[in-house]
């Protein structure tokens, strides 16, 4: 039986491998250049390396463990959604958004499934299947960077807003951000990476210390405990007052504005008194609110929930404006290909992937 190979993105192990075979450390820089700058996928074709090292790489490493199960592009060509299968047949997804301004953004997954069980989210219905390894996150970025490169475009932004809760997979999140932003690797500016959390306080505190330049988005979705706990189970573990205290610490340490995501679900999160409460909560905080109209995903959620009308969203924006809190309405892209969080995977996997194991692992303490 052959020994399992490890990822070419695993810098530590590759350096160990070079050393163990008596090769000089500068060889790593040549490998890095071939993989990340020239998008060479076949190690035997890295011509800057001696044949012996190429063979060592071929024997011991793999370029990609994810396989593209399917991909679909929206009718307007702006959004492409990839559904990947991991080596152990779990489904994860990533979405490229080609903005008209020329900026290209990739939304990546940090977990297969998600334990957080937010009621409006398709991924939440799966439960946690497993954490992704950092290399599986980097592979999503590599694949998108390569796809865009072939179109003559460049990947500029990476957002951790796909499947999963990034702060519950912190070590792999960390290693993936390091690879994505390293100048000698994918070289995405740290300021153009955004991590979105449902509000895991220990993760926020650690992130403020370790990645003060990376942007933080927080899925707030409701302005008080009662309303939030109806849609987000995380509220019982990390209630709003404690969450806001950790976000205040974040701002103090980083001096960065936080993006607050607020989902607009008709009759549930869009009561006008919530607009006023939200304004009070975020006034004098370094906040920017992104209103996200609920995406029902062709009704696959089967919950009958509907997005809020533009008129009511405008009223929310007006309340915030009066309090001096800037906001935008997130332009929904890729509706026709189910590009909202977790929707395609749910369709492909059905409920069957939400295994008992996934459910029990998914319980947050
Ligand atoms: N776990 C992280 C990141 C993943 S979800 C978090 O909670 O922030 C990325 C964003 O999509 C979150 O703000 C999430 O609440 C939102 N989202 C999930 N399902 C949605 C839906 N059906 N319609 C609109 N936004 C949704």
């Amino acid at each position: 039986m052959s020994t399992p190979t490890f990822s070419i993105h695993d810098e530590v192990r590759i350096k160990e491998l070079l050393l163990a075979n008596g090769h000089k450390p500068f060889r790593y820089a040549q490998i890095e250049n071939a993989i990340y700058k020239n998008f060479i996928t076949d190690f035997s074709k890295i011509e800057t390396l001696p044949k012996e090292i190429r063979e060592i790489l071929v024997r011991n490493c793999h370029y990609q463990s994810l396989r593209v199960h399917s991909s679909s592009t929206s009718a307007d060509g702006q959004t492409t959604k990839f559904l990947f299968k991991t080596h152990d047949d779990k489904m994860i997804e990533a979405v490229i958004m080609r903005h008209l301004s020329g900026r290209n953004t990739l939304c990546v997954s940090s977990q297969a499934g998600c334990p957080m069980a937010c009621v409006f989210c398709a991924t939440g219905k799966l439960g946690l299947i497993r954490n992704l390894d950092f290399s599986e996150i980097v592979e999503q970025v590599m694949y998108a960077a390569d796809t865009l490169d072939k179109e003559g475009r460049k990947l500029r932004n990476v957002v951790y807003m796909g499947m999963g809760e990034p702060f519950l997979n912190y070590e792999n999140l960390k290693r993936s951000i390091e690879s994505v932003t390293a100048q000698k690797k994918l070289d995405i500016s740290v300021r153009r990476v955004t991590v979105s959390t449902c509000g895991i306080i220990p993760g926020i505190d650690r992130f403020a210390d370790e990645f003060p330049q990376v942007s933080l988005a927080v899925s707030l979705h409701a302005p008080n405990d009662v309303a939030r706990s109806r849609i987000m189970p995380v509220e019982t573990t990390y209630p709003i007052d404690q969450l806001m205290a950790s976000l205040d610490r974040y701002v103090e340490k980083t001096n960065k504005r936080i993006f607050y995501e607020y989902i607009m679900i008709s009759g549930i999160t869009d009561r006008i008194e919530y607009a006023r409460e939200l304004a009070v909560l975020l006034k004098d905080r370094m906040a920017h609110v992104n209103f996200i109209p609920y995406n029902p995903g062709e009704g696959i959620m089967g919950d009958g929930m509907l997005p809020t009308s533009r008129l009511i969203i405008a009223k929310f924006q007006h309340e915030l404006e009066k309090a001096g809190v800037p906001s935008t309405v997130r332009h929904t892209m890729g509706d026709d290909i189910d590009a909202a969080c977790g929707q395609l995977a749910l369709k492909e996997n059905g409920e069957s992937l939400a295994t008992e194991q996934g459910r029990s692992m998914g319980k947050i303490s």
Side-chain angles (χ1 to χ4, degrees):
M1 213 179 89
S2 63
T3 40
T5 58
F6 57 84
S7 168
I8 194 71
H9 303 304
D10 199 335
E11 177 172 342
V12 177
R13 291 186 72 178
I14 300 219
K15 283 184 168 164
E16 283 169 5
L17 190 67
L18 288 173
L19 198 70
N21 287 280
H23 295 289
K24 298 256 160 31
F26 79 89
R27 293 294 181 193
Y28 182 73
Q30 293 177 318
I31 297 173
E32 216 173 19
N33 197 57
I35 301 296
Y36 300 101
K37 304 298 176 193
N38 297 323
F39 295 110
I40 297 179
T41 56
D42 179 349
F43 309 141
S44 67
K45 300 212 168 95
I46 306 180
E47 280 163 12
T48 47
L49 293 177
K51 195 156 176 270
E52 195 199 326
I53 299 184
R54 289 187 233 171
E55 281 168 3
I56 292 174
L57 293 182
V58 170
R59 266 199 312 278
N60 294 284
C61 309
H62 60 258
Y63 178 77
Q64 188 158 293
S65 65
L66 299 179
R67 285 158 291 146
V68 182
H69 177 74
S70 61
S71 71
S72 45
T73 297
S74 59
D76 61 15
Q78 278 184 270
T79 313
T80 303
K81 178 157 183 157
F82 299 102
L83 189 60
F84 294 106
K85 239 184 189 179
T86 60
H87 65 89
D88 54 350
D89 288 339
K90 310 300 179 209
M91 301 279 205
I92 58 161
E93 62 194 16
V95 182
I96 293 179
M97 288 158 282
R98 302 170 189 84
H99 296 274
L100 294 175
S101 60
R103 167 170 60 95
N104 300 300
T105 301
L106 178 72
C107 175
V108 290
S109 293
S110 55
Q111 297 181 311
C114 181
M116 303 315 299
C118 300
V119 299
F120 46 79
C121 178
T123 309
K125 300 269 184 288
L126 296 172
L128 178 66
I129 296 163
R130 72 164 168 82
N131 276 336
L132 295 185
D133 184 68
F134 88 96
S135 60
E136 294 173 311
I137 303 175
V138 176
E139 283 184 26
Q140 296 171 59
V141 183
M142 284 294 290
Y143 195 84
D146 192 20
T147 302
L148 287 166
D149 186 65
K150 290 191 175 107
E151 297 169 5
R153 295 184 167 97
K154 203 169 154 31
L155 178 62
R156 215 186 79 142
N157 298 64
V158 174
V159 298
Y160 288 75
M161 293 187 184
M163 301 172 88
E165 169 48 50
F167 285 163
L168 291 184
N169 187 13
Y170 195 95
E171 290 304 328
N172 287 302
L173 167 72
K174 180 177 168 156
R175 284 187 79 183
S176 70
I177 296 175
E178 285 164 356
S179 290
V180 165
T181 58
Q183 268 181 2
K184 291 186 171 163
K185 293 195 165 68
L186 281 153
D187 196 20
I188 307 266
S189 156
V190 255
R191 285 180 191 79
R192 290 175 179 165
V193 174
T194 303
V195 174
S196 181
T197 179
C198 64
I200 307 292
I201 294 176
I204 294 169
D205 286 334
R206 197 173 158 193
F207 196 65
D209 288 328
E210 295 182 348
F211 293 103
Q213 291 180 311
V214 175
S215 298
L216 180 68
V218 177
S219 298
L220 188 64
H221 299 332
N224 63 57
D225 290 327
V226 175
R228 197 164 188 258
S229 59
R230 274 194 217 118
I231 52 172
M232 298 178 75
V234 67
E235 176 63 30
T236 51
T237 314
Y238 300 118
I240 286 188
D241 57 342
Q242 291 174 29
L243 174 62
M244 296 317 291
S246 84
L247 296 173
D248 289 344
R249 289 193 292 276
Y250 173 91
V251 172
E252 199 156 299
K253 277 186 191 152
T254 65
N255 202 27
K256 268 180 83 84
R257 191 175 287 277
I258 292 172
F259 296 93
Y260 288 88
E261 290 151 292
Y262 194 101
I263 192 166
M264 291 304 258
I265 313 174
S266 181
I268 296 179
T269 61
D270 66 354
R271 288 156 62 162
I272 197 66
E273 65 266 30
Y274 291 171
R276 285 179 215 117
E277 279 181 66
L278 190 63
V280 171
L281 188 69
L282 299 182
K283 187 174 161 45
D284 300 327
R285 285 193 152 103
M286 293 251 284
H288 182 108
V289 177
N290 272 323
F291 289 106
I292 320 175
Y294 170 64
N295 186 331
E298 293 173 24
I300 57 161
M301 303 283 285
D303 51 24
M305 294 196 299
L306 291 171
T308 298
S309 71
R310 290 281 154 162
L311 195 72
I312 294 180
I313 298 181
K315 283 188 182 160
F316 265 66
Q317 286 198 285
H318 183 61
E319 281 302 325
L320 290 184
E321 205 179 299
K322 284 196 291 185
V325 179
S327 71
T328 39
V329 183
R330 188 167 303 157
H331 164 60
T332 49
M333 290 174 91
D335 278 3
D336 55 336
I337 54 161
D338 284 340
C341 182
Q343 288 179 347
L344 192 56
L346 182 71
K347 251 193 202 169
E348 294 275 339
N349 290 332
E351 277 285 336
S352 61
L353 269 185
T355 56
E356 281 312 310
Q357 189 196 3
R359 280 187 225 280
S360 58
M361 279 168 71
K363 293 214 174 64
I364 51 165
S365 51

